[in-house]
Amino acid sequence: MTRIAIIGAGFGGVAVAASLLKAGFRDIVVLEKAASAGGVWRDNTYPGCACDVPAPLYSYSFALNPSWSRRYPPHDEILAYLRSCADKTGVTPLIRYGAEVASAVWSSGAWDISLTGGEEVRADVLIPAVGQLSRPSIPALPGAESFTGIAVHTAHWTPGIPVDGRRIAVVGTGASAIQLVPAIAGRATHIDVYQRTAPWTVPKPDRRYGRLRQALARRLPALMLLSRAATWGLTLVPGAALHGNRPVNALIRAYSWVQRHWQVRDPVLRAKVTPDEPIGCKRLLFTNAWLPTLNRPDVDLITEKIIAVTPDGIRTADGTDHPCDVLVYGTGFAATDFLAPIEITGRDGVSLAGAWSGGAHAYLGLAVPGFPNMFLVYGPNTNTGNTSVIYFHEAQARWITQAVRSVAQGTTMEVRPEVAAAYDTEIQSRLSTSVWSACQSWYRTAAGRIVTNWPGSATEYRRRTAVLDRADFRPAVVRDDSGGAG
């Protein structure tokens, strides 16, 4: 029987576990470091946290949900949906909570996995599904350790953090900040928002889903498929802008321009919120509340560079001290540090950190030469800037299931170095002529590689991962303990 270890019980881990169960595999363990499933939707509980992809598409295709309360559902609904899917597909009983992986070593034809508590797990197949958004990125600001108030990253928010009547400093203007700030404005005494670069925003076409719509979706599931297809079609618009379609790019820029001029009448503030980088350098943000909130007298948008954190607040480059009681980092995640801090050692003692010293890379974002029977979920260059990452997870789960079938037949699956190298050359070449090549540092490693984003359409990725090509892998090495899926 083929032993399979999956690391992480978020959307990616549940997708691949469900696919493997459907294919007949049973010896599966999902190693989850936390006390519950949910990934980023378990960790991110800040006020206003919600999805920025419409619910009909931010769902598994095999588990469309008729009960969404609105087009862009809040955090609690998404978390409940994911856990319900894990229950219904039989994944939940496979999850071992409190099982944090410290290292994994390829030894004698299998993976020896060490947990931080000292326990060892041995598996024929290793599937890291830790995602690109699991490790918060906190800037190293001088004096940060001296701050006497509460400092927290949005991904570590807890219900006990005081907001009412407090002065709040929010560092960053990304997807988390534009949800958090409107949610706490009016509760806090004052909010200072620190911006490095202005994001591109467009109106959010949100709406409630009433009882009639929910009832019809339950009785006529085809309506959900129609809604999903329509939502998919809408995502092609920002996708075209990201991939060089000038008319569509101009259309989105005009749409954003109208929003700024309609919602921000102060020309000084409007200049501050006007982006100076191409669309796509930061995620396009859908919001109706962000710009109006910045107009409030109790909210200040500060564009001066932060030079230090003081015991009482933040000091900017103009010499001004801005007092605060709570310092919130809305500064995103260490998306380019794949799998860290897990130490993974492949064939011949090669470390994954060493193999990725110039930047992470993987064939189809899934397989790395020198690391047999290891398949990544949401690996390098599989992030999407315009559609649902769950769509990518399902494509990856189907491909991984095919790879595991080969392992179950007694073979060792290791992608050929020349195949992986040719693929990486193609991807980096395409990215070098994309919108991301004109961006600053958000997508790049120190070596200048873009390691997060996929350069093509989601449809292309699904097509390229639809059928595993056995010729892409080294000649089969038959294991002594071969077995089937049963």
Side-chain angles (χ1 to χ4, degrees), residues 55-56 59-60 62-70 77 81 84-85 88 208-225 227:
S59 312
Y60 293 123
F62 56 82
L64 298 183
N65 179 20
S67 301
W68 294 120
S69 67
R70 59 189 316 116
E77 280 190 46
Y81 167 78
S84 173
C85 290
K88 292 177 180 178
R208 290 187 178 277
Y209 289 157
R211 292 181 179 179
L212 177 60
R213 185 187 191 281
Q214 293 171 343
L216 287 173
R218 291 188 183 95
R219 293 180 64 87
L220 301 171
L223 291 177
M224 290 190 288
L225 293 174
S227 177

Side-chain angles (χ1 to χ4, degrees), residues 17-34:
S19 178
L20 289 167
L21 282 172
K22 185 177 180 180
F25 294 94
R26 293 293 178 266
D27 195 352
I28 304 169
V29 61
V30 181
L31 303 172
E32 171 53 58
K33 67 179 181 181

Side-chain angles (χ1 to χ4, degrees), residues 96-465:
R96 289 186 51 187
Y97 300 109
E100 182 174 5
V101 176
S103 64
V105 179
W106 176 255
S107 175
S108 301
W111 287 97
D112 290 327
I113 304 164
S114 299
L115 307 185
T116 55
E119 187 178 350
E120 300 286 332
V121 176
R122 189 163 172 84
D124 302 302
V125 177
L126 176 66
I127 306 174
V130 300
Q132 296 185 20
L133 306 178
S134 60
R135 299 180 63 235
S137 175
I138 299 178
L141 299 176
E145 70 285 350
S146 70
F147 183 61
T148 57
I150 297 173
V152 63
H153 191 280
T154 50
H156 291 160
W157 191 278
T158 61
I161 293 175
V163 172
D164 297 331
R166 304 301 178 99
R167 293 185 64 93
I168 312 292
V170 178
V171 179
T173 54
S176 298
I178 71 154
Q179 294 180 342
L180 169 69
V181 174
I184 63 175
R187 296 174 53 192
T189 299
H190 190 86
I191 304 174
D192 287 327
V193 180
Y194 295 86
Q195 173 182 279
R196 182 170 60 170
T197 59
W200 284 96
T201 66
V202 292
K204 186 176 186 177
D206 199 9
R207 63 181 295 268
R208 290 187 178 277
Y209 289 157
R211 292 181 179 179
L212 177 60
R213 185 187 191 281
Q214 293 171 343
L216 287 173
R218 291 188 183 95
R219 293 180 64 87
L220 301 171
L223 291 177
M224 290 190 288
L225 293 174
L226 181 63
S227 177
R228 182 179 174 90
T231 303
W232 170 261
L234 289 176
T235 66
L236 299 179
V237 176
L242 287 175
H243 299 126
N245 187 305
R246 292 185 178 181
V248 174
N249 191 292
L251 177 64
I252 293 178
R253 292 174 68 95
Y255 197 31
S256 183
W257 182 92
V258 170
Q259 182 187 42
R260 285 194 303 277
H261 282 70
W262 180 257
Q263 294 186 331
V264 183
R265 300 306 173 92
D266 178 5
V268 175
L269 178 58
R270 190 189 305 143
K272 288 183 178 181
V273 298
T274 299
D276 58 4
E277 288 200 321
I279 292 174
C281 281
K282 296 176 76 174
R283 189 177 182 93
L284 181 66
L285 303 178
F286 293 84
T287 176
N288 299 322
W290 171 246
L291 295 177
T293 300
L294 297 181
N295 286 316
R296 293 176 58 104
D298 55 349
V299 178
D300 284 330
L301 180 65
I302 300 172
T303 56
E304 288 284 340
K305 181 180 179 180
I306 298 173
I307 61 170
V309 177
T310 68
D312 301 317
I314 290 177
R315 180 173 300 145
T316 49
D318 60 359
T320 303
D321 285 319
H322 307 268
C324 68
D325 306 303
V326 181
L327 172 56
V328 182
Y329 294 102
T331 47
F333 298 85
T336 61
D337 296 337
F338 293 87
L339 302 188
I342 302 172
E343 297 179 358
I344 297 182
T345 305
R347 183 170 47 80
D348 301 328
V350 175
S351 73
L352 187 61
W356 283 355
S357 59
H361 54 88
Y363 176 60
L364 297 172
L366 291 161
V368 183
F371 295 83
N373 294 2
M374 182 181 81
F375 311 113
L376 308 175
V377 178
Y378 204 4
N381 295 116
T382 63
N383 188 54
T384 170
N386 67 291
T387 189
S388 172
V389 71
I390 298 176
Y391 184 90
F392 278 66
H393 289 339
E394 288 195 57
Q396 292 159 357
R398 286 187 288 269
W399 188 94
I400 289 171
T401 299
Q402 295 176 60
V404 176
R405 284 198 183 103
S406 290
V407 175
Q409 293 169 1
T411 63
T412 297
M413 295 291 288
E414 181 184 346
V415 66
R416 292 161 50 198
E418 64 274 21
V419 170
Y423 173 82
D424 184 58
T425 298
E426 176 209 339
I427 296 301
Q428 291 302 313
S429 175
R430 291 172 63 181
L431 287 167
S432 69
T433 59
S434 70
V435 63
W436 296 296
S437 66
C439 302
Q440 295 181 16
S441 60
W442 290 279
Y443 299 108
R444 296 183 179 275
T445 65
R449 289 172 52 87
I450 300 174
V451 299
T452 53
N453 286 356
W454 167 248
S457 68
T459 303
E460 179 195 350
Y461 186 80
R462 178 169 180 159
R463 174 180 56 78
R464 294 181 69 162
T465 56

